[in-house]
Amino acid sequence: GAVVSQHPSWVICKSGTSVKIECRSLDFQATTMFWYRQFPKQSLMLMATSNEGSKATYEQGVEKDKFLINHASLTLSTLTVTSAHPEDSSFYICSARSDRSSNQPQHFGDGTRLSIL
Amino acid sequence: AQSVTQLGSHVSVSEGALVLLRCNYSSSVPPYLFWYVQYPNQGLQLLLKYTTGATLVKGINGFEAEFKKSETSFHLTKPSAHMSDAAEYFCAVKQYGDKIIFGKGTRLHILP
């Protein structure tokens, strides 16, 4: 149980385009989802936290107009990287939790590798 | 502020040998502590976690970790390494709310 699916797993696109990444909880309802960014050989950095039906809470230094997060349903959250540039190339990972209690574990997706040319 | 320090970005052990991955944390209150494993191009999988109670925590795949408050440590061990254990391991701490702070990771290499 507790499977989180991310799509696509790999995407390459031209500079200036927008890219949407989907994060789905397959067998549970995810009231809270998290988006992380991981640079090569580095740790995960939390970008934002989103509760279903609410606006996402962004971490300091993360541009909310560049990284648009939508969590419109209990099983789907999307991250859209707008007007992507090479410096946005990274590994993006989502996680999901079954309720708003922070004591519940986060279940991670397999990540999306984004390469901007 | 919370922080996590993992000693050694790379650790190599022989197959069948003891695995020891070190993690020290800083936290002003009793923390929740986690170990995650990440295989190439994949997300994170929870190995084990400490919240309260017994300080020796057993996880999946034969791993365990011991919370030592006096040493502010949460080292990960496995008695006998297997080739399939080769991966990146992250120690993490959570204090209040949602935010989990991850260490920089330790890549475990298993030598045949």
Side-chain angles (χ1 to χ4, degrees):
Chain A
V3 177
V4 175
S5 174
Q6 264 185 258
H7 178 80
S9 56
W10 197 296
V11 59
I12 302 173
C13 60
K14 293 182 179 180
S15 183
T17 59
S18 293
V19 179
K20 180 183 285 188
I21 302 170
E22 293 186 347
C23 179
R24 293 181 184 272
S25 56
L26 299 185
D27 51 2
F28 68 100
Q29 293 186 326
T31 55
T32 306
M33 286 186 167
F34 306 84
W35 287 95
Y36 294 86
R37 184 173 180 176
Q38 185 180 30
F39 290 101
K41 298 183 181 181
Q42 293 191 30
S43 189
L44 280 73
M45 300 298 294
L46 180 64
M47 298 175 67
T49 303
S50 71
N51 290 303
E52 184 265 337
S54 303
K55 288 186 177 180
T57 301
Y58 289 80
E59 293 298 304
Q60 190 173 8
V62 178
E63 299 177 63
K64 62 180 180 181
D65 294 331
K66 180 160 188 69
F67 298 99
L68 301 179
I69 292 172
N70 183 281
H71 190 173
S73 80
L74 285 171
T75 59
L76 174 65
S77 176
T78 60
L79 167 68
T80 301
V81 183
T82 61
S83 186
H85 288 91
E87 59 266 28
D88 298 322
S89 299
S90 192
F91 193 54
Y92 293 87
I93 304 176
C94 74
S95 70
R97 191 175 66 203
S98 59
D99 66 39
R100 294 176 190 259
S101 166
S102 62
N103 292 330
Q104 292 298 314
Q106 295 181 25
H107 304 284
F108 287 82
D110 279 345
T112 297
R113 185 161 301 283
L114 174 62
S115 296
I116 309 298
L117 305 178
Chain B
Q2 305 166 79
S3 67
V4 178
T5 302
Q6 290 184 242
L7 299 177
S9 58
H10 292 265
V11 170
S12 296
V13 301
S14 298
E15 190 175 16
L18 172 72
V19 175
L20 171 61
L21 303 183
R22 299 177 186 274
C23 173
N24 288 88
Y25 68 91
S26 67
S27 176
S28 58
V29 298
Y32 289 1
L33 296 161
F34 309 84
W35 274 100
Y36 289 89
V37 61
Q38 184 181 34
Y39 296 99
N41 293 312
Q42 293 188 24
L44 273 66
Q45 181 181 6
L46 180 65
L47 278 178
L48 49 80
K49 65 178 180 179
Y50 168 79
T51 53
T52 58
T55 56
L56 182 61
V57 181
K58 295 186 183 298
I60 62 172
N61 301 339
F63 285 93
E64 61 183 36
E66 187 171 11
F67 169 58
K68 291 187 176 180
K69 184 178 178 181
S70 61
E71 299 178 6
T72 60
S73 69
F74 191 57
H75 302 329
L76 181 70
T77 60
K78 181 174 180 177
S80 177
H82 192 273
M83 295 300 290
S84 60
D85 295 327
E88 187 90 20
Y89 291 80
F90 292 95
C91 181
V93 61
K94 187 165 80 76
Q95 192 172 332
Y96 299 116
D98 289 324
K99 191 169 183 177
I100 296 178
I101 306 298
F102 290 88
K104 291 187 175 181
T106 297
R107 182 163 296 276
L108 177 63
H109 305 271
I110 309 297
L111 307 174

